[in-house]
Amino acid sequence: MSLVVVQFLTGLASASSLFLVACGLSIIFGVTRIVNFAHGSLYMLGIYVAYSTAERLMPLLGGAGFWLALPAAALLVGLIGAAMEVTVLRRLYRSHELFQLLATFGVVLIVDDIALAIWGPADLLGPRAPGFDGSIAILGSKIPEYDLVLIVLGPLVLGLLWLLFRRTRWGTLVRAATQDREMAGALGVDQKKLFTAVVFLGAFLAGLGGAMQLPREAANLGMDLNIIAEAFVVTVVGGMGSIGGAFLAALLVAELNAFGILVFPEISIVLLFLVMAVVLVLRPQGLLGKAEQAQHATHGEAEPTLAPGGRAMTAAGLLLVAALAALPTLAGGYLLGVASEILILALFAASLQFIMGVGGMISFGHAAYLGLGAYAAAILTRELGAPMEGALLAAPLAGGLGALAFGWFCVRLSGVYLAMLTLAFAQIAWSVAFQWTEVTGGDNGILGVWPSHWADSAARFYWLTLALVAAAVALLRRAVFAPFGYALRAGRDSPRRAQAVGIAVRRQQWLGFTLAGVFAGLAGGLYAFLKGSVFPDVMAIPMSVDGLVMVLLGGVQTLAGPLVGAAVYDGLKAELVTRTEFWRIIVGCVIVLLCVAFPRGLVGNLKALWQSRRGVEG
Amino acid sequence: MTSPVLEVSRIRKVFGGVVALEEVSFAVAAGEMVALIGPNGAGKSTCFNVVNGQLRPDEGHVALHGRAITGLPARKIWRLGVGRTFQVAATFASMTVMENVQMALLSRRRRLLSLWPRATRLYRGEALELLERVGAADLADRPCGQLAYGDVKRIELAIALANEPALLLMDEPTAGMAPGERAELMALTAAIAREGRIAVLFTEHDMDVVFGHADRVLVLDRGHLIAAGEADTVRNDPRVREVYLGPETLAADEAEADAPGWAAC
Amino acid sequence: MLSVSGLCVFYGRAQVLFDLNAEVPRGRVVALMGRNGAGKSTTMKAIMGLLPVAAGRVAFEGREITGLDPYRIARLGIGYVPEDRRVFPDMTVDENLEVGRRPLPEGAGLDAPAWDREAIYTLFPNLRELRARGAGQTSGGEQQMLALARTLMGNPRLLLLDEPSEGLAPVIVQQMARAIQRLKRQGLTVLLSEQNLRFAHAVADEAVVIEKGRVRFAGSIQELEADETLKRAYLAV
């Protein structure tokens, strides 16, 4: 009994920080319509800044220094958020949600490296809270006093926010801008100021959430992605844009975590998944969310029409494959390894492009299916002694089954909600791989996944990879121009019209999602044999984002794009990582720049240039 | 007279305590054009959405050729022979006009899951025929996203006809069109309906369109059907005039300008 | 009061307005007429700063406002009522009015009355009954009324009314016409876009007819009414 009470109160205490982060995310999204991926980074900055500030102030002011450091840190993070709004977010308000998510992920990378440079890679343990460093007995069990502070903080902030939004003119204007920002502007509301202020508020809350954790956990560089995945789950479950919903969902998620550890210590995260699944099936808009209304007339251009490349293109494709097949005569082992990796990632990116470009579904968790394929192949060969051939058959199956299961939920949502859900699923898959040590080896991964004897030279494995990737990409292209791809595109262009001509849009999307999972799984299987090992990283968020950047680099609406994108991105990154410890900040800046300046990607921009030239001449 | 294509019986629909529809019954026969009109908030959209399956009525039922279609999803209703056009025309913007029609034909033949054949090579002839029926064959290869709005409306009609529907539901078919284009589209619709013995139910605000093209007119007010019949009968119905049509002229109201102008709405 | 000269506007690469000129004299009601897609709403949005202007200028009371942010234009005294009303659906009628509230700008002329909630509720009595109701729960006619009232709360001296009669039942259209006539008597200047000549005739003094983004006629509404060729060519009546 006392254990239950302790866990319950611990859950309540954890819920507070999670609520602060999630409601900040929700408020920013409400007004700017941007899901701020970097919100977890602001949370992480909160705890780091609080650590440094407390370290300086406490020798001077004693206990008061600590209590001053927390709001000071939140304030500073708020200002950082405002600066981010002015420099990055402001340029993205009219962009596609994909670019908004990606650009803010670029900020995640940048903040990561800045934090690494300032605070170093080691965990930093903060001081205990002066005045609240003991524990008190409740029903015979000891509860840290500081937890009680946190338990009070959550409802207090909720109440203050309610007053702010319901009882002040500023709050009324924010709510108006949330519902129709252009109209609010036409009524004389200065949007720029309002947006900056709202992002400041959201960032302040995230920073406060981080700072409040100072006495509870050590500051570390992994906090940003951990909290953001949870915050996404909270906002999706609670209902995007609903502060009350965020509060409820934060309580729910935190309690689940607290009790899940008691029941299934190994895979407690699965509980979270189940609850999220149940909520989404019953209330797709979240607990307190409003059903998505038809979006206001978007000013974006209509997606371009697609046409198969014709004979010249097919010939060029065959020529390229032939040229690539000749590569082993020129290149040595290392280069062939890089080339194989590029091919595998090209397939991964192509499968992602299939659901994004053709299906209109943005996945921020596509690495889950790559990872499922990789783990399936590795587990089969290592644990069950299956040959490579069998493992390579199982890999797409595993990717496909994973996509079938997760996709069933994902296609119930659309746009940015879908993106967040895919990310949450991928994070769950990652957690399982990370925590389920008996099967996956946890952090140590699975080693010794080698190809069959006939394919064990670099050249032979490269040829195998080339053959499979070429065939798979050709199949994917074929599907795009087959009725299947057309129906998928119909659902993207106009779901209403598609339904009205008898297309089961959700089912079509679900099957498309699954098909993409199959091909990602195949890429994962190859990846496992190429590396000879599998680690949880293969399904972590950065891998999913790598796939997105490749697609984006090449151009979302360009079928050849992912291939070019994979070659350029993976090649450059391989180069960068060998040269500097701070490669993330460079990649981050490139991503931000790409999203702000070249949303059509490399191939897309070249194509546009080519068409406008021809247009001028014709 | 043969049995009606569409039969709506005693529909009732309540939203959060507010009665949107009460005891609404009507029928539409093959080849007949019926307009559904009424003031804003009278229950027109609700009624329309109950018929097309988007809403499930609390009571009553909707039948197509005597078969209940109450509460079926839109895609199933289409398979049973109901074509639709939307208030804001909806087509597949990333496809050509021809591909838009082919898409509907592919769906009708249940080819949506096939992964191999080139979609653009299937049912071209049939698609072209449908485009000819709405006079848009010359637009076949244009991207649908770049057409003028009036043309998009015609393409939508061609898509709706792809399943050889017995019933055509048109939600404010002429909204957003110039008056001249409106008459053209409705004349085309009427000709197609008569020729193919298709029953047409449409909502509309433009009274020229309603009284120019509808065989019968249904008038809703606050959820009740207050009048139904031929255009002239309805036009001269005093209740209809009171709640909806109003006095004929707009300019001659300086005298009553100081009356509380908005009170009645 | 408002002067538009040489206005060019693009949607993407497509040009929608070509060298458009129009004048709205103080105290007059001008109807901007033309078929759908002629560029009426685009003109309204461009004046309001909601669309980028590629060339040309817009001047309000002699001051150039081209390229200003919409909120600045609104604060200068131009009120905009969009064609699809766009009330804030999840807020009450009263809160909607609060968003529109602006104190009279300094040195504002005495030609426009200072609107506050009381004045609004006197003009539109049934908004008072609905004041605590969510705006999304009101009927189309009530929303049109609220959209106009909300804009009036900003004490504009010039009102831009985009398609005030579109999609409304005939009875409501007549009431709308009466309200515009009343505002005009109170000294407000109005530019409204309209397809319906009957409605324009009832409320407007002058008309500007546009077709495919170019001005085809500018003059009194009576002249337009009398010109059958013009009406047939550009209004398709």
Side-chain angles (χ1 to χ4, degrees), chain A residues 496-536:
Chain A
R496 251 180 349 148
R497 168 49 65 203
Q499 294 277 4
V501 296
I503 300 174
V505 174
R506 250 191 220 166
R507 192 185 60 167
Q508 199 79 22
Q509 287 179 329
W510 184 31
L511 294 175
F513 196 88
T514 304
L515 190 68
V518 167
F519 286 106
L522 175 63
L526 286 167
Y527 194 71
F529 285 107
L530 172 71
K531 299 284 177 185
S533 57
V534 182
F535 298 99

Side-chain angles (χ1 to χ4, degrees), chain B residues 79-101:
Chain B
R79 295 221 179 270
L80 294 171
V82 180
R84 290 189 61 185
T85 67
F86 296 99
Q87 186 177 350
V88 177
T91 55
F92 308 125
S94 80
M95 301 182 195
T96 64
V97 167
M98 170 76 96
E99 287 169 349
N100 263 274
V101 183

Side-chain angles (χ1 to χ4, degrees), chain A residues 321 340 342-348 350 462-476 519 522-523 526 563:
Chain A
V321 172
S340 300
I342 288 177
L343 283 172
I344 292 168
L345 292 177
L347 175 57
F348 174 55
Y462 170 79
W463 275 320
L464 172 69
T465 305
L466 179 62
L468 286 177
V469 168
V473 169
L475 263 172
L476 264 176
F519 286 106
L522 175 63
L526 286 167
L563 311 181

Side-chain angles (χ1 to χ4, degrees), chain A residues 539-587:
Chain A
M539 35 180 138
I541 294 171
M543 191 66 174
S544 292
V545 174
D546 278 358
L548 284 168
V549 176
M550 290 173 210
V551 173
L552 180 62
L553 255 176
V556 180
Q557 292 305 331
T558 323
L559 296 179
L563 311 181
V564 178
V568 174
Y569 183 67
D570 197 50
L572 282 182
K573 201 171 150 189
E575 242 346 86
L576 260 181
V577 173
T578 58
R579 278 165 203 264
T580 168
E581 185 190 357
F582 295 103
W583 57 272
R584 280 181 205 85
I585 197 165
I586 299 173
V587 173

Side-chain angles (χ1 to χ4, degrees), chain A residues 406-479:
Chain A
F406 292 161
W408 191 80
F409 297 101
C410 292
V411 299
R412 265 143 229 281
L413 305 181
S414 62
V416 77
Y417 298 82
L418 187 147
M420 291 165 72
L421 191 59
T422 54
L423 181 124
F425 278 126
Q427 195 64 0
I428 284 159
W430 174 83
S431 301
V432 170
F434 194 79
Q435 291 181 351
W436 203 12
T437 332
E438 301 100 84
V439 178
T440 62
D443 206 12
N444 297 322
I446 301 173
L447 305 176
V449 188
W450 300 118
S452 293
H453 184 63
W454 62 267
D456 66 357
S457 81
R460 286 192 195 140
F461 189 76
Y462 170 79
W463 275 320
L464 172 69
T465 305
L466 179 62
L468 286 177
V469 168
V473 169
L475 263 172
L476 264 176
R477 289 199 61 130
R478 190 84 207 185

Side-chain angles (χ1 to χ4, degrees), chain A residues 148-168:
Chain A
L148 298 180
V149 175
L150 287 177
I151 290 173
V152 174
L153 183 72
L156 185 72
V157 171
L158 179 65
L160 287 176
L161 286 175
W162 190 87
L163 284 176
L164 178 67
F165 285 116
R166 297 281 159 173
R167 289 287 177 266
T168 68

